[in-house]
Amino acid sequence: MTELKVEVDAAEVGFDADRLRRIDTHFRRYVDDSRLAGWAIAVARRGRVAHLSHYGRRDVEAGLPVEGDTIWRIYSMTKPITSVAALMLYEQGALELTDPVSRYIPSFADLRVYKAGSALNPATTPVTEPIRVWHLLTHTAGLTYGFHHAHPVDEMYRLKGFEFGAPRGMDLAAVCDAYAQLPLLFQPGSEWNYSVATDVLGRVVEVASGQSLDRFFAERIFGPLGMTETAFSVTTPEGLARLASLYVPRPGGGLVRNSAMGDAITREPTMLSGGGGLASTAYDYHRFTQMLAGGGELDGERLLSPRTVRFMTRNHLPGNAELDTFGRPIFSESSFAGVGFGLGFSVVTDPAAGKVLTNAGEYAWGGLASTAFYVDPVEEITALFFTQLMPSSTYPIRSQLRALVNQALVD
């Protein structure tokens, strides 16, 4: 068990320490008025941690505080890790971004696209081109999530047991075969829709590498980066003692513990979800973001080429489109204006359009329980925010974090 530590005086890397403390002052209010149970924040510049703080409780009912080694469910912050895994295989020639997914998952060979009708009686049409690996990485495959509640195909996912996660007993291969039996929302490459695409990408990683996803992560990513506490489950007594509890807002104010979903991480999963299955710590995920910020390398361990990282973190939407025009409006915690999407990350294309204090080229993502990270290559900043409140659209944490970090820069 390893904890992050402050590594540099804030002024040495261009921050005003008093202004950095505004981050804590602001987010303490979230805990003091019971909007959040607790949180942890880490801000680094030029590879060194300049601000580190935590506040509140990891378990409200037990009165246990958030600590530096608290374990968090990171949900969709798993997606960038799976995307890195896929690009590592791309670099070694094990897959092409233009490969049809059916090369790795044969059930994806003859897909259909929703045209009209209800979830119980849909009309469909054949795909005009196959789903390709790059469609999975960019969420342009036409897949969806059952929890969106925005389309008849979302309902079809729920009817099959795919709302949050998958029915018990199904492994990743079986889950992907089940997805292939459901119609797509749209023709691959024609729109953006946040989806199970990264779970399917995880299966592609398994087939292309010849390893299970957990083994690939452990041997090729977590081991080299020293991410010793990032895994698909938390089962040891010592780990369970440090695991934060999961909450949802109580109508009228306050928090309600969500044990039904929260306890899932305490069991070994049958399905290894590359889209949302991991738990991690501030130390571990900081290591991952430093690898990205370092152009694919950290402490002498190189996972990716700097050129590959730059390639991943540019906008890959067709015609350099932005999410507000190319995507379906399903997320509300982050503006789609001025934001595109790369190979596993949101990418800021126009900060003025998004009305958020940041720089073009910033890449980021977050998780269902309101965790978030971003990397700003212009300012050489990485920032992490951990908490355990779902859904992540409840409060504007991501935009507030960016503003509070960047207003503290004075160089």
Side-chain angles (χ1 to χ4, degrees), residues 58-113:
R58 68 180 187 270
D59 187 319
V60 172
E61 293 78 12
L64 300 173
V66 173
E67 297 177 315
D69 61 357
T70 293
I71 299 172
W72 312 90
R73 298 161 195 79
I74 62 171
Y75 287 114
S76 287
M77 280 167 57
T78 305
K79 287 180 170 69
I81 296 173
T82 305
S83 301
V84 164
L87 268 292
M88 291 171 70
L89 292 170
Y90 169 71
E91 284 193 333
Q92 70 184 52
L95 60 79
E96 293 284 333
L97 299 182
T98 53
D99 283 344
V101 171
S102 59
R103 180 171 298 179
Y104 308 94
I105 310 173
S107 58
F108 272 68
D110 297 305
L111 301 176
R112 307 281 296 181
V113 179

Side-chain angles (χ1 to χ4, degrees), residues 144 148 150 154 192-195 327-333 336 393:
T144 192
H148 285 329
D154 305 344
W192 185 92
N193 187 68
Y194 194 47
S195 73
R328 298 199 169 198
I330 50 174
F331 276 178
S332 59
E333 78 269 33
F336 275 12
S393 56

Side-chain angles (χ1 to χ4, degrees), residues 1-271:
M1 139 176 100
T2 310
E3 295 184 34
L4 272 180
K5 299 186 184 304
V6 173
E7 299 170 312
V8 65
D9 183 86
E12 289 185 40
V13 288
F15 283 115
D16 181 309
D18 288 336
R19 283 178 164 264
L20 276 176
R21 282 190 281 273
R22 292 179 179 180
I23 301 172
D24 303 344
T25 300
H26 175 76
F27 285 114
R28 279 184 189 129
R29 297 189 191 107
Y30 275 87
V31 174
D32 292 344
D33 62 16
S34 299
R35 286 177 287 170
L36 296 177
W39 48 256
I41 296 169
V43 180
R45 195 176 195 202
R46 299 173 191 142
R48 295 188 288 175
V49 178
H51 182 78
L52 190 63
S53 56
H54 51 77
Y55 187 68
R57 295 174 178 173
R58 68 180 187 270
D59 187 319
V60 172
E61 293 78 12
L64 300 173
V66 173
E67 297 177 315
D69 61 357
T70 293
I71 299 172
W72 312 90
R73 298 161 195 79
I74 62 171
Y75 287 114
S76 287
M77 280 167 57
T78 305
K79 287 180 170 69
I81 296 173
T82 305
S83 301
V84 164
L87 268 292
M88 291 171 70
L89 292 170
Y90 169 71
E91 284 193 333
Q92 70 184 52
L95 60 79
E96 293 284 333
L97 299 182
T98 53
D99 283 344
V101 171
S102 59
R103 180 171 298 179
Y104 308 94
I105 310 173
S107 58
F108 272 68
D110 297 305
L111 301 176
R112 307 281 296 181
V113 179
Y114 173 89
K115 185 177 180 181
S118 70
L120 297 176
N121 188 29
T124 63
T125 188
V127 291
T128 55
E129 76 158 304
I131 294 180
R132 303 182 188 275
V133 173
W134 79 266
H135 292 132
L136 299 178
L137 284 156
T138 56
H139 291 283
T140 59
L143 299 163
T144 192
Y145 270 124
F147 63 73
H148 285 329
H149 291 260
H151 191 278
V153 175
D154 305 344
E155 184 180 353
M156 295 173 72
Y157 275 58
R158 294 194 299 276
L159 290 171
K160 293 293 184 180
F162 302 109
E163 182 166 12
F164 295 100
R168 284 196 184 188
M170 295 183 75
D171 64 12
L172 184 55
V175 165
C176 289
D177 287 344
Y179 293 153
Q181 301 306 308
L182 298 170
L184 303 177
L185 265 70
F186 46 76
Q187 293 290 346
S190 64
E191 295 184 49
W192 185 92
N193 187 68
Y194 194 47
S195 73
V196 299
T198 317
D199 287 319
V200 178
L201 184 67
R203 179 58 183 159
V204 171
V205 168
E206 289 189 329
V207 176
S209 68
Q211 294 182 296
S212 64
L213 195 60
D214 55 351
R215 184 178 171 192
F216 186 98
F217 282 176
E219 294 182 7
R220 301 286 302 276
I221 298 176
F222 301 155
L225 295 182
M227 297 171 64
T228 60
E229 297 199 280
T230 303
F232 284 103
S233 62
V234 181
T235 57
T236 66
E238 189 274 335
L240 291 168
R242 293 187 286 120
L243 178 66
S245 300
L246 182 66
Y247 296 93
V248 295
R250 183 192 303 275
L255 300 167
V256 177
R257 191 185 188 108
N258 186 341
S259 296
M261 282 192 65
D263 289 351
I265 198 70
T266 67
R267 301 183 292 268
E268 294 284 351
T270 304
M271 176 207 173

